[in-house]
Amino acid sequence: MIQEEMVVTAQTKIADGVFELRLSGRIATLVTEPGQFVHMRVPGESGMLSPVLRRPISICSVDPAHRELTLIYRVVGLGSQLLSNTCPGMKIDVFGPLGHGFPVDEVPAGGRALMIGGGVGVPPLYGLAEALTDRGIEVTHILGFRSDKDIFYEAQFAALGETVIFTDDGSHGRKGLVTDAIGEAAYDVAYACGPLPMLKAVQNVITEKPLFVSMEQRMGCGFGACLACAVHTTDAQDHKGYRRVCCDGPVFRAGEVELC
Ligand code: FES
């Protein structure tokens, strides 16, 4: 991991309050696994660095040949609002790539993978789907959003494999929960990223196949020093143990840590 000033190459609104940000820099050449993240300090409107803490954003996809990262984020407060104001040519202080991502080698050659995502937990699954299809793995995506105005990357996922969209209100795709479709899918390994209630529900449904979950957690340092991101393990042999989401995760094998 390194710290550098990455250059904004594109900033595009792709859904209600959701932006796709492309950044150019050396960090894009250092990403080793889909599901890793960067920790960025958001520039203020004045051009001075904002006093807000660094914020973790998962990497959606990477183009190492062009030294470019794609991030997708939702505007939820001051920092992300300021981030959405950045324009091509501006520089952003970025630290990364960080964390352990999704293990793509868990799927046997010629096998099938299932990806389950919710909201802004969807983006890292796109880079994962790209990595898996590059290996010849057949992928199925089950993606949940609140409503049709929140949906993004439907066509991009569909270009890689079967894609089932759920919305809470039924305004697009199927109405219901992503877990409703898991039983209809054929797969060898499953991967999930999204809000904790969704991860818990997925973990309750997928009990017979390998499942890897990516956790979203409040973070401080981002590299293992402050314990702000610590979560408890579930292992009976290690019942007082913990894992740091920033450096032991954010991806864990289902059952390794408590989802709370
Ligand atoms: Fe500091 Fe994880 S954010 S240890």
Side-chain angles (χ1 to χ4, degrees), residues 48-118:
M48 299 295 288
L49 291 180
S50 162
V52 296
L53 288 171
R54 284 181 182 274
R55 60 200 54 240
I57 301 182
S58 58
I59 296 169
C60 172
S61 63
V62 59
D63 180 354
H66 295 93
R67 295 164 56 94
E68 190 171 74
L69 288 181
T70 299
L71 312 176
I72 292 176
Y73 63 95
R74 178 182 294 283
V75 172
V76 292
L78 173 63
S80 49
Q81 181 66 54
L82 292 170
L83 185 59
S84 71
N85 293 338
T86 58
C87 303
M90 292 179 70
K91 292 182 178 176
I92 300 180
D93 180 348
V94 182
F95 185 40
L98 296 165
H100 290 286
F102 294 106
V104 295
D105 291 340
E106 287 285 327
V107 188
R112 291 175 289 201
L114 175 64
M115 274 154 277
I116 306 135

Short mmCIF file of all heavy atoms in Angstrom, two decimals, residues 48-118:
data_model
loop_
_atom_site.label_atom_id
_atom_site.label_comp_id
_atom_site.label_asym_id
_atom_site.label_seq_id
_atom_site.Cartn_x
_atom_site.Cartn_y
_atom_site.Cartn_z
N MET A 48 -8.52 23.31 0.01
CA MET A 48 -7.75 22.87 1.16
C MET A 48 -8.27 21.49 1.57
O MET A 48 -9.40 21.13 1.30
CB MET A 48 -7.92 23.83 2.33
CG MET A 48 -7.45 25.23 2.01
SD MET A 48 -5.67 25.32 1.72
CE MET A 48 -5.10 25.06 3.40
N LEU A 49 -7.44 20.73 2.26
CA LEU A 49 -7.89 19.42 2.70
C LEU A 49 -8.94 19.59 3.79
O LEU A 49 -8.80 20.36 4.71
CB LEU A 49 -6.72 18.59 3.23
CG LEU A 49 -5.72 18.14 2.16
CD1 LEU A 49 -4.61 17.33 2.82
CD2 LEU A 49 -6.40 17.31 1.10
N SER A 50 -10.01 18.85 3.66
CA SER A 50 -11.09 18.91 4.63
C SER A 50 -10.63 18.33 5.96
O SER A 50 -9.82 17.41 6.00
CB SER A 50 -12.27 18.10 4.09
OG SER A 50 -13.16 17.79 5.12
N PRO A 51 -11.16 18.86 7.07
CA PRO A 51 -10.80 18.30 8.37
C PRO A 51 -11.43 16.94 8.63
O PRO A 51 -11.09 16.29 9.61
CB PRO A 51 -11.34 19.34 9.35
CG PRO A 51 -12.46 20.01 8.62
CD PRO A 51 -12.06 20.01 7.17
N VAL A 52 -12.38 16.51 7.82
CA VAL A 52 -13.02 15.23 8.09
C VAL A 52 -12.01 14.09 7.94
O VAL A 52 -11.02 14.21 7.23
CB VAL A 52 -14.24 14.96 7.17
CG1 VAL A 52 -15.32 15.97 7.43
CG2 VAL A 52 -13.83 14.95 5.72
N LEU A 53 -12.27 13.03 8.67
CA LEU A 53 -11.37 11.87 8.64
C LEU A 53 -11.34 11.25 7.25
O LEU A 53 -12.22 11.46 6.44
CB LEU A 53 -11.88 10.82 9.63
CG LEU A 53 -11.72 11.12 11.10
CD1 LEU A 53 -12.47 10.07 11.91
CD2 LEU A 53 -10.25 11.13 11.48
N ARG A 54 -10.30 10.45 7.06
CA ARG A 54 -10.29 9.64 5.84
C ARG A 54 -11.51 8.74 5.84
O ARG A 54 -11.99 8.33 6.89
CB ARG A 54 -9.03 8.77 5.80
CG ARG A 54 -7.78 9.52 5.45
CD ARG A 54 -6.60 8.59 5.40
NE ARG A 54 -5.40 9.33 5.12
CZ ARG A 54 -4.98 9.63 3.88
NH1 ARG A 54 -5.67 9.21 2.84
NH2 ARG A 54 -3.89 10.33 3.70
N ARG A 55 -11.99 8.40 4.67
CA ARG A 55 -13.13 7.48 4.61
C ARG A 55 -12.79 6.30 3.70
O ARG A 55 -12.16 6.48 2.65
CB ARG A 55 -14.39 8.19 4.15
CG ARG A 55 -14.32 8.82 2.80
CD ARG A 55 -15.38 9.88 2.67
NE ARG A 55 -15.31 10.84 3.74
CZ ARG A 55 -16.31 11.07 4.60
NH1 ARG A 55 -17.44 10.46 4.48
NH2 ARG A 55 -16.15 11.95 5.57
N PRO A 56 -13.18 5.11 4.12
CA PRO A 56 -12.92 3.94 3.30
C PRO A 56 -13.96 3.81 2.18
O PRO A 56 -15.15 4.00 2.42
CB PRO A 56 -13.06 2.78 4.29
CG PRO A 56 -14.00 3.28 5.33
CD PRO A 56 -13.85 4.76 5.40
N ILE A 57 -13.49 3.53 0.99
CA ILE A 57 -14.40 3.28 -0.13
C ILE A 57 -13.90 2.04 -0.86
O ILE A 57 -12.72 1.97 -1.24
CB ILE A 57 -14.48 4.48 -1.10
CG1 ILE A 57 -14.96 5.73 -0.35
CG2 ILE A 57 -15.41 4.17 -2.27
CD1 ILE A 57 -15.11 6.95 -1.22
N SER A 58 -14.78 1.10 -1.06
CA SER A 58 -14.36 -0.14 -1.73
C SER A 58 -14.11 0.12 -3.21
O SER A 58 -14.74 0.98 -3.82
CB SER A 58 -15.39 -1.25 -1.52
OG SER A 58 -16.63 -0.84 -2.01
N ILE A 59 -13.18 -0.64 -3.74
CA ILE A 59 -12.83 -0.51 -5.15
C ILE A 59 -13.84 -1.31 -5.97
O ILE A 59 -14.07 -2.49 -5.70
CB ILE A 59 -11.39 -1.03 -5.39
CG1 ILE A 59 -10.40 -0.15 -4.62
CG2 ILE A 59 -11.08 -1.07 -6.89
CD1 ILE A 59 -8.99 -0.73 -4.56
N CYS A 60 -14.43 -0.65 -6.95
CA CYS A 60 -15.41 -1.31 -7.82
C CYS A 60 -14.68 -2.13 -8.88
O CYS A 60 -14.94 -3.32 -9.07
CB CYS A 60 -16.32 -0.27 -8.44
SG CYS A 60 -17.42 -0.93 -9.71
N SER A 61 -13.77 -1.49 -9.59
CA SER A 61 -13.00 -2.20 -10.61
C SER A 61 -11.69 -1.47 -10.83
O SER A 61 -11.51 -0.33 -10.39
CB SER A 61 -13.78 -2.32 -11.92
OG SER A 61 -14.04 -1.04 -12.46
N VAL A 62 -10.78 -2.14 -11.50
CA VAL A 62 -9.46 -1.57 -11.71
C VAL A 62 -8.98 -1.85 -13.12
O VAL A 62 -9.26 -2.91 -13.69
CB VAL A 62 -8.47 -2.14 -10.65
CG1 VAL A 62 -8.38 -3.65 -10.73
CG2 VAL A 62 -7.12 -1.51 -10.75
N ASP A 63 -8.32 -0.85 -13.68
CA ASP A 63 -7.73 -0.98 -15.02
C ASP A 63 -6.24 -0.66 -14.87
O ASP A 63 -5.83 0.49 -15.05
CB ASP A 63 -8.43 -0.01 -15.98
CG ASP A 63 -7.86 -0.08 -17.39
OD1 ASP A 63 -6.85 -0.79 -17.59
OD2 ASP A 63 -8.41 0.59 -18.27
N PRO A 64 -5.44 -1.68 -14.51
CA PRO A 64 -4.03 -1.39 -14.23
C PRO A 64 -3.27 -0.87 -15.44
O PRO A 64 -2.35 -0.05 -15.28
CB PRO A 64 -3.48 -2.74 -13.75
CG PRO A 64 -4.47 -3.76 -14.14
CD PRO A 64 -5.78 -3.08 -14.27
N ALA A 65 -3.66 -1.29 -16.63
CA ALA A 65 -2.94 -0.85 -17.84
C ALA A 65 -3.04 0.67 -18.01
O ALA A 65 -2.11 1.31 -18.49
CB ALA A 65 -3.50 -1.56 -19.06
N HIS A 66 -4.19 1.22 -17.60
CA HIS A 66 -4.39 2.67 -17.70
C HIS A 66 -4.26 3.34 -16.34
O HIS A 66 -4.64 4.50 -16.18
CB HIS A 66 -5.74 2.98 -18.33
CG HIS A 66 -5.85 2.53 -19.75
ND1 HIS A 66 -6.37 1.30 -20.10
CD2 HIS A 66 -5.46 3.12 -20.90
CE1 HIS A 66 -6.32 1.17 -21.41
NE2 HIS A 66 -5.77 2.25 -21.93
N ARG A 67 -3.77 2.59 -15.33
CA ARG A 67 -3.55 3.11 -13.98
C ARG A 67 -4.81 3.80 -13.44
O ARG A 67 -4.74 4.87 -12.84
CB ARG A 67 -2.39 4.12 -13.97
CG ARG A 67 -1.04 3.50 -14.33
CD ARG A 67 -0.02 4.55 -14.70
NE ARG A 67 0.17 5.56 -13.69
CZ ARG A 67 1.10 5.53 -12.75
NH1 ARG A 67 1.95 4.50 -12.70
NH2 ARG A 67 1.23 6.49 -11.86
N GLU A 68 -5.97 3.12 -13.63
CA GLU A 68 -7.22 3.77 -13.25
C GLU A 68 -8.06 2.87 -12.34
O GLU A 68 -8.25 1.69 -12.60
CB GLU A 68 -8.04 4.13 -14.49
CG GLU A 68 -9.23 5.02 -14.18
CD GLU A 68 -9.89 5.55 -15.44
OE1 GLU A 68 -10.58 4.76 -16.10
OE2 GLU A 68 -9.71 6.74 -15.76
N LEU A 69 -8.58 3.48 -11.26
CA LEU A 69 -9.51 2.84 -10.33
C LEU A 69 -10.90 3.39 -10.56
O LEU A 69 -11.07 4.58 -10.82
CB LEU A 69 -9.17 3.19 -8.88
CG LEU A 69 -7.95 2.64 -8.18
CD1 LEU A 69 -7.95 3.18 -6.75
CD2 LEU A 69 -7.99 1.13 -8.19
N THR A 70 -11.91 2.54 -10.41
CA THR A 70 -13.29 3.02 -10.39
C THR A 70 -13.88 2.75 -9.01
O THR A 70 -13.82 1.62 -8.51
CB THR A 70 -14.13 2.31 -11.47
OG1 THR A 70 -13.58 2.59 -12.75
CG2 THR A 70 -15.58 2.79 -11.43
N LEU A 71 -14.42 3.80 -8.41
CA LEU A 71 -15.08 3.71 -7.11
C LEU A 71 -16.53 4.14 -7.29
O LEU A 71 -16.83 4.99 -8.13
CB LEU A 71 -14.43 4.64 -6.09
CG LEU A 71 -12.90 4.61 -5.96
CD1 LEU A 71 -12.45 5.68 -4.96
CD2 LEU A 71 -12.42 3.24 -5.53
N ILE A 72 -17.42 3.54 -6.52
CA ILE A 72 -18.82 3.96 -6.53
C ILE A 72 -19.21 4.25 -5.08
O ILE A 72 -18.94 3.42 -4.19
CB ILE A 72 -19.73 2.88 -7.15
CG1 ILE A 72 -19.44 2.75 -8.65
CG2 ILE A 72 -21.21 3.23 -6.93
CD1 ILE A 72 -20.21 1.65 -9.34
N TYR A 73 -19.81 5.40 -4.84
CA TYR A 73 -20.16 5.77 -3.47
C TYR A 73 -21.50 6.49 -3.46
O TYR A 73 -21.94 7.05 -4.47
CB TYR A 73 -19.06 6.67 -2.85
CG TYR A 73 -18.89 7.98 -3.57
CD1 TYR A 73 -19.54 9.13 -3.12
CD2 TYR A 73 -18.12 8.07 -4.72
CE1 TYR A 73 -19.41 10.33 -3.78
CE2 TYR A 73 -17.99 9.27 -5.40
CZ TYR A 73 -18.63 10.39 -4.92
OH TYR A 73 -18.51 11.58 -5.61
N ARG A 74 -22.13 6.47 -2.30
CA ARG A 74 -23.39 7.19 -2.11
C ARG A 74 -23.12 8.43 -1.28
O ARG A 74 -22.33 8.39 -0.32
CB ARG A 74 -24.40 6.29 -1.39
CG ARG A 74 -25.75 6.98 -1.11
CD ARG A 74 -26.69 6.08 -0.35
NE ARG A 74 -27.11 4.94 -1.14
CZ ARG A 74 -28.03 5.00 -2.10
NH1 ARG A 74 -28.62 6.15 -2.37
NH2 ARG A 74 -28.35 3.92 -2.77
N VAL A 75 -23.77 9.53 -1.61
CA VAL A 75 -23.66 10.75 -0.82
C VAL A 75 -24.53 10.60 0.42
O VAL A 75 -25.75 10.45 0.32
CB VAL A 75 -24.08 11.98 -1.64
CG1 VAL A 75 -24.14 13.22 -0.75
CG2 VAL A 75 -23.12 12.21 -2.80
N VAL A 76 -23.86 10.61 1.59
CA VAL A 76 -24.60 10.42 2.85
C VAL A 76 -24.29 11.52 3.87
O VAL A 76 -24.92 11.57 4.91
CB VAL A 76 -24.28 9.04 3.48
CG1 VAL A 76 -24.85 7.92 2.64
CG2 VAL A 76 -22.79 8.87 3.69
N GLY A 77 -23.32 12.37 3.59
CA GLY A 77 -22.96 13.40 4.55
C GLY A 77 -22.00 14.39 3.91
O GLY A 77 -21.80 14.40 2.68
N LEU A 78 -21.38 15.20 4.77
CA LEU A 78 -20.52 16.27 4.27
C LEU A 78 -19.36 15.74 3.41
O LEU A 78 -19.10 16.24 2.32
CB LEU A 78 -19.95 17.07 5.45
CG LEU A 78 -18.89 18.11 5.09
CD1 LEU A 78 -19.48 19.19 4.19
CD2 LEU A 78 -18.28 18.72 6.35
N GLY A 79 -18.67 14.72 3.93
CA GLY A 79 -17.50 14.23 3.21
C GLY A 79 -17.84 13.71 1.82
O GLY A 79 -17.19 14.06 0.83
N SER A 80 -18.87 12.89 1.73
CA SER A 80 -19.23 12.34 0.42
C SER A 80 -19.84 13.42 -0.47
O SER A 80 -19.69 13.37 -1.70
CB SER A 80 -20.18 11.15 0.58
OG SER A 80 -21.24 11.44 1.46
N GLN A 81 -20.48 14.44 0.14
CA GLN A 81 -20.98 15.56 -0.66
C GLN A 81 -19.80 16.32 -1.28
O GLN A 81 -19.81 16.66 -2.47
CB GLN A 81 -21.80 16.51 0.22
CG GLN A 81 -22.39 17.70 -0.52
CD GLN A 81 -23.43 17.28 -1.55
OE1 GLN A 81 -24.37 16.57 -1.21
NE2 GLN A 81 -23.25 17.67 -2.80
N LEU A 82 -18.77 16.55 -0.46
CA LEU A 82 -17.58 17.22 -0.98
C LEU A 82 -16.91 16.38 -2.06
O LEU A 82 -16.43 16.90 -3.08
CB LEU A 82 -16.60 17.49 0.16
CG LEU A 82 -17.03 18.52 1.19
CD1 LEU A 82 -16.08 18.51 2.39
CD2 LEU A 82 -17.08 19.91 0.57
N LEU A 83 -16.89 15.07 -1.84
CA LEU A 83 -16.28 14.19 -2.83
C LEU A 83 -17.02 14.27 -4.17
O LEU A 83 -16.39 14.27 -5.24
CB LEU A 83 -16.28 12.75 -2.31
CG LEU A 83 -15.59 11.70 -3.16
CD1 LEU A 83 -14.12 12.05 -3.36
CD2 LEU A 83 -15.72 10.32 -2.52
N SER A 84 -18.34 14.38 -4.09
CA SER A 84 -19.12 14.44 -5.34
C SER A 84 -18.88 15.75 -6.10
O SER A 84 -19.22 15.85 -7.28
CB SER A 84 -20.61 14.28 -5.05
OG SER A 84 -21.14 15.43 -4.41
N ASN A 85 -18.29 16.74 -5.42
CA ASN A 85 -17.99 18.02 -6.08
C ASN A 85 -16.65 18.01 -6.80
O ASN A 85 -16.31 18.97 -7.47
CB ASN A 85 -17.99 19.16 -5.05
CG ASN A 85 -19.36 19.41 -4.47
OD1 ASN A 85 -20.37 19.06 -5.07
ND2 ASN A 85 -19.41 20.01 -3.29
N THR A 86 -15.86 16.94 -6.61
CA THR A 86 -14.56 16.92 -7.27
C THR A 86 -14.72 16.70 -8.78
O THR A 86 -15.62 15.99 -9.22
CB THR A 86 -13.64 15.83 -6.67
OG1 THR A 86 -14.29 14.56 -6.79
CG2 THR A 86 -13.33 16.12 -5.22
N CYS A 87 -13.84 17.31 -9.53
CA CYS A 87 -13.95 17.31 -11.00
C CYS A 87 -12.66 16.73 -11.60
O CYS A 87 -11.61 16.71 -10.95
CB CYS A 87 -14.12 18.74 -11.51
SG CYS A 87 -15.53 19.58 -10.81
N PRO A 88 -12.74 16.31 -12.87
CA PRO A 88 -11.53 15.82 -13.54
C PRO A 88 -10.39 16.83 -13.44
O PRO A 88 -10.58 18.03 -13.61
CB PRO A 88 -11.99 15.63 -14.99
CG PRO A 88 -13.44 15.30 -14.85
CD PRO A 88 -13.94 16.16 -13.71
N GLY A 89 -9.21 16.30 -13.13
CA GLY A 89 -8.02 17.14 -12.98
C GLY A 89 -7.68 17.42 -11.54
O GLY A 89 -6.53 17.72 -11.21
N MET A 90 -8.69 17.34 -10.64
CA MET A 90 -8.41 17.58 -9.22
C MET A 90 -7.68 16.39 -8.63
O MET A 90 -7.77 15.26 -9.13
CB MET A 90 -9.72 17.83 -8.46
CG MET A 90 -10.40 19.12 -8.82
SD MET A 90 -11.96 19.37 -7.95
CE MET A 90 -11.38 19.67 -6.27
N LYS A 91 -6.96 16.64 -7.54
CA LYS A 91 -6.19 15.57 -6.89
C LYS A 91 -6.82 15.22 -5.54
O LYS A 91 -7.33 16.10 -4.84
CB LYS A 91 -4.74 16.01 -6.69
CG LYS A 91 -3.99 16.15 -8.01
CD LYS A 91 -2.55 16.52 -7.78
CE LYS A 91 -1.81 16.60 -9.11
NZ LYS A 91 -0.42 17.06 -8.95
N ILE A 92 -6.76 13.94 -5.21
CA ILE A 92 -7.30 13.45 -3.95
C ILE A 92 -6.23 12.61 -3.28
O ILE A 92 -5.61 11.74 -3.91
CB ILE A 92 -8.58 12.62 -4.16
CG1 ILE A 92 -9.67 13.47 -4.83
CG2 ILE A 92 -9.08 12.07 -2.84
CD1 ILE A 92 -10.96 12.72 -5.08
N ASP A 93 -6.04 12.85 -1.98
CA ASP A 93 -5.07 12.11 -1.18
C ASP A 93 -5.64 10.72 -0.88
O ASP A 93 -6.65 10.61 -0.18
CB ASP A 93 -4.82 12.89 0.12
CG ASP A 93 -3.82 12.21 1.04
OD1 ASP A 93 -3.47 11.04 0.80
OD2 ASP A 93 -3.40 12.87 2.01
N VAL A 94 -5.01 9.70 -1.43
CA VAL A 94 -5.54 8.33 -1.31
C VAL A 94 -4.48 7.41 -0.72
O VAL A 94 -3.30 7.50 -1.06
CB VAL A 94 -5.97 7.79 -2.69
CG1 VAL A 94 -6.57 6.38 -2.55
CG2 VAL A 94 -6.98 8.71 -3.35
N PHE A 95 -4.94 6.52 0.16
CA PHE A 95 -4.08 5.54 0.81
C PHE A 95 -4.60 4.15 0.41
O PHE A 95 -5.79 3.86 0.58
CB PHE A 95 -4.19 5.77 2.32
CG PHE A 95 -3.30 4.95 3.17
CD1 PHE A 95 -1.99 4.69 2.82
CD2 PHE A 95 -3.78 4.45 4.38
CE1 PHE A 95 -1.17 3.94 3.65
CE2 PHE A 95 -2.97 3.70 5.21
CZ PHE A 95 -1.67 3.44 4.84
N GLY A 96 -3.75 3.32 -0.16
CA GLY A 96 -4.27 2.01 -0.54
C GLY A 96 -3.33 1.28 -1.48
O GLY A 96 -2.22 1.75 -1.74
N PRO A 97 -3.71 0.16 -2.04
CA PRO A 97 -4.94 -0.56 -1.72
C PRO A 97 -4.82 -1.24 -0.37
O PRO A 97 -3.74 -1.64 0.05
CB PRO A 97 -5.05 -1.59 -2.86
CG PRO A 97 -3.63 -1.83 -3.28
CD PRO A 97 -2.91 -0.54 -3.08
N LEU A 98 -5.97 -1.38 0.32
CA LEU A 98 -5.98 -1.90 1.68
C LEU A 98 -6.88 -3.15 1.78
O LEU A 98 -7.84 -3.31 1.03
CB LEU A 98 -6.52 -0.83 2.64
CG LEU A 98 -5.65 0.44 2.75
CD1 LEU A 98 -6.45 1.56 3.42
CD2 LEU A 98 -4.39 0.15 3.54
N GLY A 99 -6.55 -3.97 2.78
CA GLY A 99 -7.41 -5.10 3.12
C GLY A 99 -7.23 -6.32 2.26
O GLY A 99 -6.50 -6.32 1.27
N HIS A 100 -7.89 -7.38 2.74
CA HIS A 100 -7.94 -8.64 1.99
C HIS A 100 -9.29 -8.73 1.31
O HIS A 100 -10.33 -8.56 1.95
CB HIS A 100 -7.75 -9.83 2.94
CG HIS A 100 -6.35 -9.92 3.49
ND1 HIS A 100 -5.28 -10.33 2.73
CD2 HIS A 100 -5.86 -9.60 4.69
CE1 HIS A 100 -4.18 -10.29 3.46
NE2 HIS A 100 -4.50 -9.84 4.66
N GLY A 101 -9.28 -9.01 0.02
CA GLY A 101 -10.51 -9.05 -0.75
C GLY A 101 -11.09 -10.45 -0.88
O GLY A 101 -10.83 -11.34 -0.07
N PHE A 102 -11.86 -10.63 -1.93
CA PHE A 102 -12.55 -11.90 -2.17
C PHE A 102 -11.58 -12.93 -2.75
O PHE A 102 -10.86 -12.64 -3.72
CB PHE A 102 -13.70 -11.70 -3.16
CG PHE A 102 -14.80 -10.83 -2.65
CD1 PHE A 102 -14.95 -9.54 -3.12
CD2 PHE A 102 -15.71 -11.31 -1.72
CE1 PHE A 102 -15.99 -8.73 -2.67
CE2 PHE A 102 -16.74 -10.51 -1.26
CZ PHE A 102 -16.88 -9.22 -1.74
N PRO A 103 -11.57 -14.14 -2.22
CA PRO A 103 -10.70 -15.19 -2.76
C PRO A 103 -11.32 -15.80 -4.02
O PRO A 103 -12.22 -16.63 -3.94
CB PRO A 103 -10.64 -16.20 -1.61
CG PRO A 103 -11.93 -16.03 -0.88
CD PRO A 103 -12.36 -14.61 -1.06
N VAL A 104 -10.84 -15.40 -5.17
CA VAL A 104 -11.42 -15.89 -6.44
C VAL A 104 -11.04 -17.35 -6.68
O VAL A 104 -11.76 -18.08 -7.37
CB VAL A 104 -10.99 -15.02 -7.64
CG1 VAL A 104 -11.54 -13.63 -7.51
CG2 VAL A 104 -9.48 -14.98 -7.76
N ASP A 105 -9.93 -17.81 -6.12
CA ASP A 105 -9.48 -19.18 -6.38
C ASP A 105 -10.31 -20.23 -5.65
O ASP A 105 -10.10 -21.43 -5.84
CB ASP A 105 -8.01 -19.34 -5.97
CG ASP A 105 -7.09 -18.55 -6.89
OD1 ASP A 105 -7.53 -18.22 -8.00
OD2 ASP A 105 -5.96 -18.26 -6.47
N GLU A 106 -11.23 -19.80 -4.78
CA GLU A 106 -12.07 -20.76 -4.08
C GLU A 106 -13.03 -21.48 -5.02
O GLU A 106 -13.52 -22.56 -4.71
CB GLU A 106 -12.89 -20.05 -2.98
CG GLU A 106 -12.07 -19.63 -1.79
CD GLU A 106 -11.70 -20.80 -0.88
OE1 GLU A 106 -12.50 -21.75 -0.77
OE2 GLU A 106 -10.61 -20.76 -0.29
N VAL A 107 -13.33 -20.86 -6.16
CA VAL A 107 -14.24 -21.49 -7.12
C VAL A 107 -13.43 -22.44 -7.98
O VAL A 107 -12.44 -22.04 -8.58
CB VAL A 107 -14.94 -20.44 -8.01
CG1 VAL A 107 -16.03 -21.11 -8.85
CG2 VAL A 107 -15.51 -19.31 -7.18
N PRO A 108 -13.83 -23.72 -8.05
CA PRO A 108 -13.06 -24.66 -8.87
C PRO A 108 -13.14 -24.31 -10.35
O PRO A 108 -14.11 -23.68 -10.80
CB PRO A 108 -13.75 -26.01 -8.59
CG PRO A 108 -15.11 -25.65 -8.09
CD PRO A 108 -14.99 -24.34 -7.39
N ALA A 109 -12.12 -24.69 -11.09
CA ALA A 109 -12.11 -24.42 -12.54
C ALA A 109 -13.38 -24.98 -13.16
O ALA A 109 -13.79 -26.11 -12.87
CB ALA A 109 -10.88 -25.08 -13.16
N GLY A 110 -14.01 -24.16 -14.00
CA GLY A 110 -15.25 -24.59 -14.65
C GLY A 110 -16.46 -24.48 -13.73
O GLY A 110 -17.56 -24.89 -14.11
N GLY A 111 -16.26 -23.93 -12.54
CA GLY A 111 -17.35 -23.86 -11.57
C GLY A 111 -18.22 -22.63 -11.73
O GLY A 111 -18.09 -21.87 -12.70
N ARG A 112 -19.11 -22.48 -10.75
CA ARG A 112 -20.07 -21.37 -10.81
C ARG A 112 -20.05 -20.59 -9.50
O ARG A 112 -19.91 -21.18 -8.42
CB ARG A 112 -21.48 -21.90 -11.06
CG ARG A 112 -21.65 -22.48 -12.46
CD ARG A 112 -23.00 -23.11 -12.64
NE ARG A 112 -23.11 -24.33 -11.87
CZ ARG A 112 -24.00 -25.30 -12.12
NH1 ARG A 112 -24.87 -25.16 -13.12
NH2 ARG A 112 -24.04 -26.38 -11.38
N ALA A 113 -20.19 -19.29 -9.62
CA ALA A 113 -20.17 -18.43 -8.43
C ALA A 113 -21.46 -17.63 -8.36
O ALA A 113 -22.02 -17.22 -9.39
CB ALA A 113 -18.98 -17.48 -8.48
N LEU A 114 -21.91 -17.40 -7.14
CA LEU A 114 -23.10 -16.59 -6.90
C LEU A 114 -22.68 -15.35 -6.14
O LEU A 114 -21.95 -15.45 -5.14
CB LEU A 114 -24.12 -17.38 -6.07
CG LEU A 114 -25.37 -16.62 -5.62
CD1 LEU A 114 -26.20 -16.19 -6.84
CD2 LEU A 114 -26.19 -17.46 -4.67
N MET A 115 -23.11 -14.19 -6.60
CA MET A 115 -22.81 -12.94 -5.92
C MET A 115 -24.10 -12.29 -5.46
O MET A 115 -25.03 -12.17 -6.26
CB MET A 115 -22.04 -12.00 -6.84
CG MET A 115 -20.56 -12.26 -6.77
SD MET A 115 -19.73 -11.76 -8.25
CE MET A 115 -20.03 -13.20 -9.21
N ILE A 116 -24.14 -11.89 -4.20
CA ILE A 116 -25.35 -11.28 -3.64
C ILE A 116 -24.95 -9.93 -3.07
O ILE A 116 -24.07 -9.84 -2.22
CB ILE A 116 -25.93 -12.17 -2.51
CG1 ILE A 116 -26.15 -13.59 -3.03
CG2 ILE A 116 -27.23 -11.59 -1.98
CD1 ILE A 116 -25.68 -14.64 -2.09
N GLY A 117 -25.59 -8.88 -3.56
CA GLY A 117 -25.22 -7.54 -3.12
C GLY A 117 -26.43 -6.69 -2.82
O GLY A 117 -27.51 -6.89 -3.38
N GLY A 118 -26.23 -5.72 -1.93
CA GLY A 118 -27.31 -4.80 -1.61
C GLY A 118 -26.80 -3.37 -1.58
O GLY A 118 -25.77 -3.08 -0.95
#
